[in-house]
Structure formats: structure tokens, C-alpha cells
Amino acid sequence: MKLFEPLGIGSMVVPNRIMVPAMVTHLCREDGLVNEDVIERYARYAAGGAGLIVVEAMAIHQVKSGPLLRISDDAYLPGLRELARCVHQTPGAKVVPQIIHFLKAARSGWRQTVDMLPAAEIDLIVEQFGDAVARARKAGFDGAELHSAHAYTLSSFLSRTNPRTDEYGGQTLEGRLRLIGRVMGNVRRKAGAEFPVGVRFNGEEFIKNGYSVEDAKLIALRFAELGFSYVSISAGGKFEDAAHTPGQVLFPYSGYSGDRAMPGDWLPRALNVRLAAEVKSFLVARGHRTPLAVAGKLSDPADAERVLEEGAADLVAIARGLLADPDWPEKVRSDALDRIVQCDYCNVCKALDGTHRPVVCTLWPQGTIQAPRGHLPATAPQWADGSSGLSAALKDVRVTLHWRKASGAGYYDVYRADDRGGELKFIDALKVTDWTDNTALGGRTYRYLVRARDACGRSSASSDLVAVDVPAPDYMTR
Amino acid sequence: MKLFEPLGIGSMVVPNRIMVPAMVTHLCREDGLVNEDVIERYARYAAGGAGLIVVEAMAIHQVKSGPLLRISDDAYLPGLRELARCVHQTPGAKVVPQIIHFLKAARSGWRQTVDMLPAAEIDLIVEQFGDAVARARKAGFDGAELHSAHAYTLSSFLSRTNPRTDEYGGQTLEGRLRLIGRVMGNVRRKAGAEFPVGVRFNGEEFIKNGYSVEDAKLIALRFAELGFSYVSISAGGKFEDAAHTPGQVLFPYSGYSGDRAMPGDWLPRALNVRLAAEVKSFLVARGHRTPLAVAGKLSDPADAERVLEEGAADLVAIARGLLADPDWPEKVRSDALDRIVQCDYCNVCKALDGTHRPVVCTLWPQGTIQAPRGHLPATAPQWADGSSGLSAALKDVRVTLHWRKASGAGYYDVYRADDRGGELKFIDALKVTDWTDNTALGGRTYRYLVRARDACGRSSASSDLVAVDVPAPDYMTR
């Protein structure tokens, strides 16, 4: 599989094409120091086989925020060193911190915007990014990634909505590129020309008057010219369309652009691949071989492999899929696909992020803050009395499934064949023992199947297959 | 060219694949009657060669609104008959009215939502749609199109945000489909099984929690099962993210979803084609050959032809491109591509729509409300003294072009080659004699060219080609 081919990113060799993109954990405290929980989270990804692990955004400055890692002072170095060291205990695993600057935001809904920054503060940001990346190098990381996506400072300068009228905006693309250009110059001066430095940015902003892939191509071209070691494509996640909850700071993943950044179950799989492919082919046509990563509902192994085969990207970034199951890479490599704990994109992790609580996956055992390590009871989940008792009740055109509990079960996977003779596909994962089908179309037969799972993905025997003739609605039969 | 192959749509044969999708004109008065201006607008499209002309939305009911055509009573029949008759003066041209129901909206920003409709009003909507389509048939139209896209009633029922909890919503796709299902049943009863009836709907809603192409596929499948004669794909245009201008009713094309419905110059060309292709192949795989139309920045003839060749759609719907130049079809057919008045997606037409003023194109001669008919002075535009005097001024990395006026010029087209050795491409159209390049990237050479155009697209000699070395920004050269 292409997924398991190594990739050179500047001076670093990543053992495979599987990237953990930056995901906030809220496992640290307000002090911004690395702690044991943080280390365990990232070491676990390495042990599970991810090739390139991007540690959640750490701030280059001391502005107040929720629990957030910092890299703004040498005082953070011991913890960062320990983090890098522990990830490196898995041979071959590469780890880079995501480096972030963000503007101030208040619970009133007020937020600082880029046009409020005086020249001296911009100069300071330039210096702080350089210092932070130099510190990442000192800490023993394999590289660093600049966060120029979503709602944060670098991204807000890149935005087509950048309101500055001076040389850092002025309604020109060059103006919007100026800050990150200066930042990268300073990063190279302070952290060296050979240290791998990537950048994450939006392939599309998905906000009113925001930029589309047409600008993203030119931005990526400039990034390649600036010598970034890789570019990583995300999308959306902006403040401009965020919903303000009274008494809380704006959460940039709460609006439509937030849907695009952390797409829920109703958005298509692999939804940013087209953006990535357009950017990638634009770069290749101009002679740039800069490796490109893409994220966005890529936790289906077949999707992930196809992205690489098609040349749409060089790295597949899987956030929630690897949160649900850090052993995803090893399970794919060993062809144990049916043991993967499949993310159902319920976005409870997003809700936890939005309220600054430790980010966990609902598919993990209740009350735990890390993915289980697989040393669970030796027996797989068992249906009580050897039968799932799966039954389907039909009300109008709505199918509701019920089944029995299984011993040793942490959760249940539901599969559906959505047309006559169609293929059974995973459709939802849940901890309760009933499920309602909201997307069945009347006038066809659906088949359903349930499997009980334990926390490391071992499954019970399949339930019986239940077939339901969903009647055509009355207006089609009269 | 595939663009000029005829297409059977139920019992109607459309002479080519070029559709004028519904575009509000605001050429009628508050009385909702067809007048001479309305007739001239649509007859012009037929004369220019469009195969299928969809007349702007006409209401099935008498709710107050701005100037809007009505088909809610037999009193409108004489005008509608005259409209159909005049379009039919061009042999082969087919014309269908778009039929709309919309909910109430107030200047305060308040708007009626679908959960406020009692059962009796829903029943009334079902009846009114049937009556309206029967009236369209009586008036001599070749078919009708139900408006189930954007911000209007049928679309709001289809929406994933439909808040009803009864059988017309209830968080199920079947519930969301129920109203249009009943409507189509009544339309068939009242207008006959053979009368061609199409439907326009969103391939994606582009709002928070809105539906994506995954639902659009299932919606289209149901439409095919209901016997719609064609499906027409649009996108966005919702109230949910509209910006409220105090004292004005919400304009559903003012938010991000509005950007997607009427994309400006910064969004990609042919931006809905991928949505269309996914829906089309989904239908084909299930044995449905229902013709499919797609709209969205398709005014480049090569794009339009490619959409058909790839099988992404059966009809290419071009709104603003045909507003700018109703002779687009004839010019493409006769290979007079360089005489096309090219839409630059400035969206002044959108702004006129938003303020209920007659919708015109800025590329038409000042003060006119219809596209010019081509009986202009016999000579093409001429540069004064035989030279355009094109010059480029460089300030930092920003290029500003200046040129002389040309006699007989209505506007000027700017072309740019955006990389060394790159191809010259149309980039903007304007009535003034200077232009600033906001998307040039420093560190490369750009070449620019200007042509003066008269209102029917005849061009002057090209200006000299001006080459500008745009310097790399200082942070790249230090």
C-alpha cells in the first residue's frame, strides 16, 4: 500500500504517509506546560504507527486563553523535550509541534482583528515565531509546523477578508502574504535552513467573501517558493461566521465554516481531497515537489489509500479517526480492518474542544481520558444468550432498531445496505442499544446488522441480518 | 459540439443543451403581470439561440413581495400566453416558467419559517402548485419548473435544517421530501402525466448543519422516481446566513451561501460541476436517465462543452453569461468566440436584484434595460490615434494599468498572462480606462493586453502587450 511508503520531507524521513494533524487535547493546564497526560496522548499515536505526529498548537506568546500548550519561553523546554523523547521511543516516528499565534478574544464576543495590530506588534510576531521554531529544534522535535489555517493570526492575514489597508493587506494577495513571508524568513534565520518547517493553511475559507481554491493555489506556490518543507491543507474554521454563545469567547468551529473544518456525519467523506488535488497539480505543473498533506474525513482506509494513489496528496492527515483508534495505522498495515474503532463523526470531541474540556472519544470506555491500550479481557464481546435479538420497528417510513446488550461490549456498530442488493456499510457507532434510521427512503428494502465492540475494536459475532421493507410514502401509491 | 445536440426532455425536444436558468428581472410591476419589457428579455434569449429558457420565478399565491411575476390566477393568462408565443417565434426554442412559493418576510428581519405553517396551508400550497402548472400548460408553455432551490418554501422543507417535528420534517429525509412529493402528485393530476415538469434544487446547502451532496443524491433519486422530467442543480442561496440590512427584508444571496449561489469573480469557474457529476452518476447507476442541468460560472464555452463531454450534466445552465450576452449560443455555434461579451462576475446584477431594481448588465450601454441587438455603428471600436497607449505603473508589488479611450467602445476587456510563458486569459471587463491587479505574485513577469469592445462584443485591435517585472517582495530577497 502507498500508505506505508516512506516519504522524505526535507531532511526528515517519515516512515509512512499517515499524519496525525494538530488536535487540541485540553490535557494541559492553564500553565501551558507539557504533562504526563499530554505525553501519553502523543506517544500513543507513535506506538500505533502514525508516521508524522503534529502536536497540538502551542502558543508563541503569553496571551490568556484556555488550557493551551506554550512554546513562548525556555521554561517550557524541559516538558517539550520529554514529549519529543517519548514519541521517539517508537522507532521511526516523527513529531513536530504546531506553532500558533492568535489574537485576543473576550467573553462578550469581542475579538481583536488583524487591522488592530500596530507595526511593532507585527514585528514582535515575526520574532516570536522565529524564537518558537528555534526552541522546537532545541527541544528535539523533528521539525515544526506554522499554523496558518482556520481562525488564527497568520490565517487572518492570508484571508481575503483581511481589512488592513497597508502593506500587510491592501486588498492584494501579496499584502496578505507579507506577514507569513516575513515570519518564514525569520524562522529560517533562527532555526536554520535545514530544519523541516511545514505550514497548514485553508484550501478554502468557506465564509462570505472568503478565498477559494483559486487563491489557495497561489498561496501554496508562494509557500513552496519560501521553502516550506510541506504544506498541509485544511478548510474553514473561521471566526467570521461563528455563533456567539453569551458569556463564552467565540468558538471558530461553530459556524458553517466550522462544519467544513470538522465535518459532521452528514458531510461527504474525503471532502477536501478535490481542493488538495487542485493545489497539488498546480504546484507540480510549476516544478514544485513540496509534499502536501490533506485532512477531512479520511478515516476510511480505502479513501486514504486512494488519495495517495491518485496523487492528490502525499500525506493523509486523519484527526478524529486516529483519536478514536490510535492503532488505525497498525491495524491497516496488518489488514485487521474489522478491528478498527471507526469514528462515526458524532463530533462530541468538537463539543469538548468548544467548552475547553479534555478532548476524548465517546467510543473509549466511559471515564477514561486516553484510548485503551488493548490489554482488555481476552474474550471478545458476546451476545447474551448467543443472540443479538436485533429487531426493527417501522413507524410510517422510519425504521428503529433494537438489540440486546452484549457482555464485554463498549459500543455497537450499525451497518446498513442502502438499496436492494447494495453493499453493507458502517453507518453509526453508539453506546446505547437502539438506533433510528433518519435517511431511509421509502419504496425499498433495507438490511441492517449490528456488531458489539470492545474498546480496542474486537467485535462480537454479527447480529442476524434484519431486512425491512420500507413502504413508499402514500403520495407515491395513491 | 455536444452543446448543440438536441435533447429529449419527456415529450419536449430541446434544440441544444444551453439553458437560461431562472433569473429575476424586476422588469414587471407590483401587479405581477407580464409586460413588454419582460417579453423582450425572454424573446431575446430565444433569438440568441438558447435551447431551453426558464422564465424567472412566478408565484402561485398572492403574498406581498417586490415586483414579481404571478401565475396564481387566470387573470395572468393573457400575458403569460403572449410571453410563450413571443419566445416561440424563434423556431425550436422551448420555454418553461419557474413556479415558486415563498414564505412571508418583513423589513424587521422577521421571516416566516416552515414550522409556522398549519396543515391547511400546506394543503393549499399543494393545490396552488397544481393549479399553477396547469395554468402554465394553458398558457402554451412547453413545461414548467418547480423552484425547490435556495431560500424558498419547497427548499426549506427539503433542508436538513427543517425544524418541523411532524410528518413534513421530523428529522427524516422522507419527512423533508413529503411536501414536494405531494405537490408533484397534484401537479400530475392537474397538468397531466405528459406535461414536462422539472425541478431545481440545491446540490449542497452551504449553511451550518445544511445538507451536502450525500442528501442531494437521495433527493434526486426521489425526484426521478416521482417522474420529474429534469432536475436542475443549483447551490446555496439560503436565508439562514443572510446579512440583515436594517429596514430591508432579508436577501438570501447576501451571505456565504449567497456567494455560492451567485459566485463572484474570486470563486472558481464551473464550481458546481462536481456536485452535478456525483448526482448524475448516482442516478445513472440506479437506472434513471432523468436529464440533469447544472449552473454556476459556466460561461466559458470550453467549460460548458467539457461538462457535457464528461457526462457530468445533460444541460448547461448559464445565467449571468447569457444576461451579458444573449447571443452567446449563436456566437459559440458560429465559432465567433472573440465576439462574446464576457461576464466578469462583478455581480452588479446581484446587487440590483437585492434592491429590487431592474436587473441589467453593466456591460450593456449605459441606461439601457435590455442587451443591445447588434445594429450598432458599422465600425468596430478604434483606439484614438491608432494606439491604446497602454502603460503599466508599479507601486511595491501592485500593477496598475492605464490606457486611452477608444471611439465606439462600450467597455474594455483586460487579459493577463499569469506566469512566464503562460497563456493570456481574460481577467476583467470594465467601463473605465484603468485597472489594478490585486492578485499578481511578486518575483515573476506578467504580460497584459487590453481590447476595447462595443456593446455587441466587436473588439478594437489589441493594445500593445505590456510586460511588467513584478519584483519579489523584500522578505524574499534579503
Side-chain angles (χ1 to χ4, degrees):
Chain A
M1 290 180 88
K2 274 204 161 290
L3 269 173
F4 297 100
E5 291 178 6
L7 176 71
I9 298 181
S11 56
M12 121 177 108
V13 177
V14 177
N16 59 51
R17 307 306 182 91
I18 302 161
M19 173 194 265
V20 182
M23 269 181 283
V24 71
T25 63
H26 295 310
L27 290 174
C28 74
R29 306 271 167 80
E30 299 270 346
D31 60 17
L33 290 163
V34 170
N35 60 25
E36 286 303 313
D37 292 335
V38 171
I39 290 174
E40 187 179 346
R41 178 68 56 93
Y42 291 100
R44 187 76 181 78
Y45 289 128
L52 178 57
I53 296 155
V54 184
V55 176
E56 63 194 286
M58 39 190 86
I60 64 173
H61 61 330
Q62 287 292 3
V63 162
K64 195 169 145 51
S65 76
L68 182 86
L69 292 179
R70 307 274 166 177
I71 192 168
S72 47
D73 191 283
D74 285 348
Y76 299 103
L77 269 177
L80 295 170
R81 272 206 189 97
E82 186 61 10
L83 174 56
R85 192 185 68 79
C86 290
V87 172
H88 284 144
Q89 283 178 344
T90 297
K94 296 291 179 277
V95 57
V96 305
Q98 189 180 58
I99 311 282
I100 192 173
H101 187 275
F102 52 87
L103 297 177
K104 292 171 193 162
R107 290 175 191 275
S108 64
W110 174 88
R111 64 185 176 90
Q112 193 183 16
T113 50
V114 300
D115 50 322
M116 299 176 192
L117 288 177
E121 272 193 57
I122 289 180
D123 291 344
L124 185 61
I125 290 169
V126 169
E127 295 306 320
Q128 287 172 329
F129 264 110
D131 294 339
V133 174
R135 212 166 272 129
R137 183 172 190 166
K138 260 196 226 165
F141 287 105
D142 300 289
E145 175 180 293
L146 307 190
H147 193 352
S148 189
H150 309 162
Y152 309 108
T153 310
L154 293 178
S155 176
S156 300
F157 273 85
L158 278 188
S159 176
R160 216 179 145 271
T161 66
N162 172 339
R164 292 186 71 101
T165 55
D166 64 358
E167 72 264 39
Y168 293 95
Q171 298 189 296
T172 68
L173 184 57
E174 272 294 357
R176 289 151 50 195
L177 284 162
R178 183 164 178 77
L179 175 58
I180 193 152
R182 286 192 60 204
V183 162
M184 188 54 173
N186 192 47
V187 163
R188 284 283 172 238
R189 273 190 296 280
K190 287 184 170 162
E194 298 307 311
F195 191 60
V197 179
V199 57
R200 195 172 206 208
F201 77 112
N202 282 346
E204 185 154 352
E205 293 195 275
F206 289 107
I207 51 170
K208 181 176 176 178
N209 293 323
Y211 75 70
S212 76
V213 70
E214 296 304 318
D215 281 8
K217 291 177 194 169
L218 299 171
I219 291 167
L221 180 59
R222 170 57 50 84
F223 287 166
E225 292 170 351
L226 285 170
F228 276 104
S229 310
Y230 69 84
V231 295
S232 176
I233 305 266
S234 186
K238 308 295 288 182
F239 277 127
E240 281 77 358
D241 65 350
H244 184 226
T245 305
Q248 287 184 27
V249 295
L250 278 175
F251 181 54
Y253 305 101
S254 58
Y256 174 69
S257 71
D259 277 4
R260 298 298 303 211
M262 293 188 69
D265 58 353
W266 68 95
L267 282 160
R269 297 188 316 191
L271 79 174
N272 294 327
V273 169
R274 189 64 42 186
L275 296 175
E278 286 201 44
V279 172
K280 179 72 189 171
S281 66
F282 187 82
L283 290 181
V284 168
R286 280 148 191 83
H288 291 285
R289 307 184 63 83
T290 312
L292 183 145
V294 62
K297 288 190 82 170
L298 284 165
S299 67
D300 182 299
D303 286 339
E305 178 69 8
R306 204 187 54 245
V307 167
L308 299 173
E309 272 169 9
E310 287 174 355
D314 306 287
L315 284 154
V316 176
I318 304 173
R320 291 167 292 174
L322 290 180
L323 180 72
D325 193 345
D327 295 323
W328 189 100
E330 274 309 311
K331 288 174 181 173
V332 173
R333 175 158 30 197
S334 60
D335 204 28
L337 300 185
D338 62 352
R339 280 201 41 213
I340 291 173
V341 177
Q342 289 192 70
C343 175
D344 63 340
Y345 299 103
C346 73
N347 267 344
V348 166
C349 51
K350 179 179 176 176
L352 293 169
D353 176 13
T355 50
H356 291 190
R357 282 175 290 175
V359 173
V360 299
C361 177
T362 54
L363 299 177
W364 298 347
Q366 218 101 36
T368 60
I369 62 161
Q370 305 287 357
R373 284 199 173 263
H375 36 60
L376 291 168
T379 55
Q382 305 277 341
W383 295 111
D385 311 320
S387 161
S388 67
L390 179 64
S391 67
L394 185 69
K395 194 192 168 214
D396 301 326
V397 291
R398 194 195 303 240
V399 178
T400 298
L401 305 181
H402 294 272
W403 57 89
R404 292 194 194 123
K405 283 190 177 175
S407 63
Y411 63 97
Y412 303 87
D413 279 352
V414 179
Y415 296 79
R416 185 181 79 169
D418 64 350
D419 215 338
R420 290 180 190 88
E423 197 191 342
L424 273 174
K425 280 185 190 158
F426 168 75
I427 190 167
D428 209 353
L430 52 168
K431 293 201 164 182
V432 294
T433 57
D434 56 82
W435 179 81
T436 296
D437 189 343
N438 290 326
T439 59
L441 273 186
R444 43 197 38 80
T445 301
Y446 286 89
R447 292 172 302 143
Y448 302 90
L449 180 153
V450 175
R451 281 191 190 132
R453 299 272 194 179
D454 69 21
C456 64
R458 283 174 309 177
S459 71
S460 68
S462 296
S463 72
D464 290 336
L465 201 61
V466 171
V468 186
D469 290 316
V470 184
D474 54 1
Y475 58 79
M476 294 183 79
T477 53
R478 271 193 302 231
Chain B
M1 291 180 87
K2 274 205 162 283
L3 269 173
F4 297 101
E5 292 177 7
L7 175 72
I9 298 182
S11 56
M12 123 176 104
V13 177
V14 177
N16 59 49
R17 307 305 182 92
I18 302 161
M19 172 195 265
V20 182
M23 269 181 285
V24 72
T25 63
H26 295 310
L27 290 174
C28 74
R29 306 269 169 81
E30 300 268 346
D31 61 16
L33 290 163
V34 170
N35 61 25
E36 287 303 313
D37 293 335
V38 171
I39 290 174
E40 187 179 346
R41 177 69 56 96
Y42 291 100
R44 187 74 180 79
Y45 290 126
L52 178 58
I53 296 154
V54 184
V55 176
E56 63 194 284
M58 39 189 85
I60 64 173
H61 60 329
Q62 287 291 4
V63 163
K64 193 168 146 51
S65 76
L68 181 87
L69 292 177
R70 307 273 167 177
I71 193 168
S72 47
D73 192 282
D74 285 347
Y76 299 102
L77 268 177
L80 294 170
R81 271 205 190 97
E82 186 62 9
L83 173 56
R85 193 186 68 79
C86 290
V87 172
H88 285 144
Q89 283 177 346
T90 298
K94 296 290 179 282
V95 58
V96 305
Q98 189 181 58
I99 311 283
I100 191 172
H101 186 277
F102 52 89
L103 298 176
K104 292 170 192 162
R107 290 175 192 274
S108 64
W110 174 87
R111 64 185 176 88
Q112 192 182 18
T113 50
V114 298
D115 50 321
M116 300 176 191
L117 288 177
E121 270 192 59
I122 290 180
D123 291 345
L124 185 62
I125 290 169
V126 169
E127 295 306 319
Q128 286 171 329
F129 264 110
D131 293 339
V133 175
R135 215 166 268 130
R137 182 170 193 167
K138 260 195 227 165
F141 287 105
D142 301 290
E145 175 181 293
L146 307 190
H147 194 350
S148 188
H150 308 163
Y152 310 108
T153 310
L154 292 178
S155 177
S156 300
F157 273 85
L158 278 188
S159 175
R160 213 176 148 272
T161 66
N162 172 339
R164 293 185 71 101
T165 54
D166 64 357
E167 71 265 40
Y168 293 94
Q171 298 189 297
T172 68
L173 184 58
E174 272 294 358
R176 289 150 51 195
L177 284 162
R178 183 165 178 77
L179 175 58
I180 192 151
R182 286 193 60 205
V183 163
M184 188 55 174
N186 192 46
V187 163
R188 283 285 171 234
R189 272 189 297 279
K190 286 182 171 163
E194 298 308 310
F195 191 59
V197 179
V199 58
R200 195 172 206 211
F201 77 112
N202 282 347
E204 185 154 354
E205 294 194 275
F206 289 107
I207 52 168
K208 181 177 176 177
N209 293 324
Y211 75 70
S212 76
V213 70
E214 296 304 317
D215 280 8
K217 291 176 193 171
L218 297 171
I219 292 167
L221 179 60
R222 171 56 52 82
F223 287 166
E225 292 169 350
L226 284 170
F228 276 104
S229 310
Y230 69 84
V231 294
S232 176
I233 305 268
S234 186
K238 307 296 288 183
F239 277 127
E240 281 78 357
D241 65 349
H244 184 227
T245 306
Q248 287 184 27
V249 294
L250 277 176
F251 180 55
Y253 305 101
S254 58
Y256 173 70
S257 71
D259 277 3
R260 298 296 305 210
M262 292 187 69
D265 59 354
W266 70 94
L267 281 162
R269 297 188 317 192
L271 79 173
N272 294 328
V273 170
R274 188 67 39 184
L275 296 176
E278 286 200 45
V279 172
K280 180 70 189 172
S281 66
F282 187 83
L283 290 181
V284 168
R286 279 149 191 81
H288 292 284
R289 307 184 62 83
T290 313
L292 182 144
V294 63
K297 287 190 82 169
L298 284 164
S299 68
D300 181 299
D303 285 339
E305 178 69 8
R306 205 187 53 246
V307 166
L308 299 173
E309 272 169 9
E310 288 175 354
D314 306 287
L315 285 153
V316 176
I318 303 173
R320 291 167 292 174
L322 290 179
L323 181 73
D325 192 346
D327 294 324
W328 189 100
E330 274 309 310
K331 289 176 181 173
V332 173
R333 172 149 43 189
S334 60
D335 204 27
L337 300 186
D338 63 353
R339 282 202 38 214
I340 291 173
V341 178
Q342 290 193 68
C343 174
D344 65 340
Y345 299 102
C346 72
N347 267 343
V348 166
C349 52
K350 178 179 175 174
L352 293 168
D353 175 12
T355 50
H356 291 188
R357 283 176 290 176
V359 172
V360 300
C361 177
T362 54
L363 299 177
W364 298 347
Q366 219 99 38
T368 60
I369 62 160
Q370 305 285 358
R373 282 198 174 266
H375 37 59
L376 291 169
T379 54
Q382 304 277 341
W383 294 112
D385 310 320
S387 160
S388 67
L390 179 64
S391 67
L394 187 68
K395 198 197 163 211
D396 300 325
V397 292
R398 196 195 300 241
V399 179
T400 299
L401 304 180
H402 295 271
W403 57 89
R404 292 195 194 121
K405 283 189 177 177
S407 64
Y411 64 96
Y412 303 87
D413 279 352
V414 179
Y415 296 78
R416 185 181 80 168
D418 64 352
D419 214 339
R420 291 181 189 88
E423 197 190 342
L424 272 174
K425 280 185 190 158
F426 168 75
I427 189 167
D428 210 354
L430 51 168
K431 292 200 165 181
V432 293
T433 57
D434 55 82
W435 180 80
T436 297
D437 189 344
N438 290 326
T439 59
L441 272 187
R444 41 194 41 78
T445 301
Y446 285 89
R447 292 171 301 142
Y448 301 90
L449 181 152
V450 174
R451 282 191 188 132
R453 299 273 193 176
D454 70 19
C456 64
R458 282 174 309 177
S459 71
S460 68
S462 296
S463 71
D464 289 335
L465 202 59
V466 171
V468 185
D469 290 315
V470 184
D474 54 1
Y475 58 78
M476 293 183 80
T477 52
R478 271 193 300 230

